[in-house]
Amino acid sequence: MVQVLNLLVVLLGCGVMLQKSGYFVKFYVQWDNSMSPAIEEGDLVTIFPIADDSKIKTMKDVVAFRVNDTTTTIHRVFRIVKTRNSAYILTKGDNRPFHDDIQLRREDLIGRAMSTTRNLGYPVIWMYKQRL
């Protein structure tokens, strides 16, 4: 358990160093199984910013976005809807029967999930539950 916590501290420290150098990589813990089997509860997900000139791909890209001030969601791009004056993105968890009710704009996205580390987020979930 101590080794897992030490590794988590190192990873978060690397994220802070990259952030200070202008490269805003972020780490998030998956709190549920909405993205199972690709991303399981307790996985640590590395999120990289989406470049302005980068295309977002339907059914391929997994993105992170804020639902409100306290909740970040990591789901797959389900559909990109283009209208006459704008476009919006619909997302869906792989383990969910329906897409999310929220219509996202590109600027609503925090970034693209680039890697996951299995079970490395469980210490964070455990520590959070201990506070409740």
Side-chain angles (χ1 to χ4, degrees):
M1 181 68 155
V2 172
Q3 290 174 331
V4 170
L5 288 174
N6 286 339
L7 182 57
L8 187 60
V9 168
V10 168
L11 286 173
L12 293 175
C14 289
V16 169
M17 287 178 2
L18 287 169
Q19 198 165 8
K20 286 185 177 182
S21 67
Y23 197 75
F24 293 101
V25 63
K26 297 181 181 186
F27 298 98
Y28 290 95
V29 173
Q30 183 70 15
W31 290 85
D32 62 17
N33 283 315
S34 66
M35 280 299 295
S36 180
I39 303 171
E40 300 284 350
E41 177 185 17
D43 289 355
L44 184 70
V45 183
T46 307
I47 305 293
F48 283 83
I50 301 173
D52 291 338
D53 60 349
S54 176
K55 297 272 188 203
I56 297 172
K57 297 178 181 82
T58 303
M59 300 306 289
K60 183 175 180 185
D61 282 336
V62 175
V63 295
F65 57 93
R66 284 220 180 267
V67 176
N68 55 41
D69 290 340
T70 60
T71 305
T72 299
T73 300
I74 300 170
H75 277 174
R76 191 174 305 280
V77 174
F78 177 69
R79 183 178 298 144
I80 299 172
V81 179
K82 295 180 181 177
T83 63
R84 182 178 281 190
N85 298 326
S86 64
Y88 60 89
I89 300 163
L90 295 175
T91 57
K92 178 185 172 301
D94 289 356
N95 199 26
R96 300 275 193 242
F98 305 106
H99 66 78
D100 301 325
D101 289 334
I102 188 169
Q103 296 178 357
L104 301 167
R105 295 167 291 142
R106 187 181 179 97
E107 53 267 18
D108 295 329
L109 303 179
I110 296 169
R112 180 181 285 133
M114 297 303 285
S115 67
T116 60
T117 306
R118 291 283 183 210
N119 302 319
L120 196 56
Y122 271 120
V124 174
I125 293 172
W126 180 81
M127 287 186 288
Y128 179 79
K129 288 181 178 179
Q130 295 305 309
R131 291 187 325 165
L132 298 179

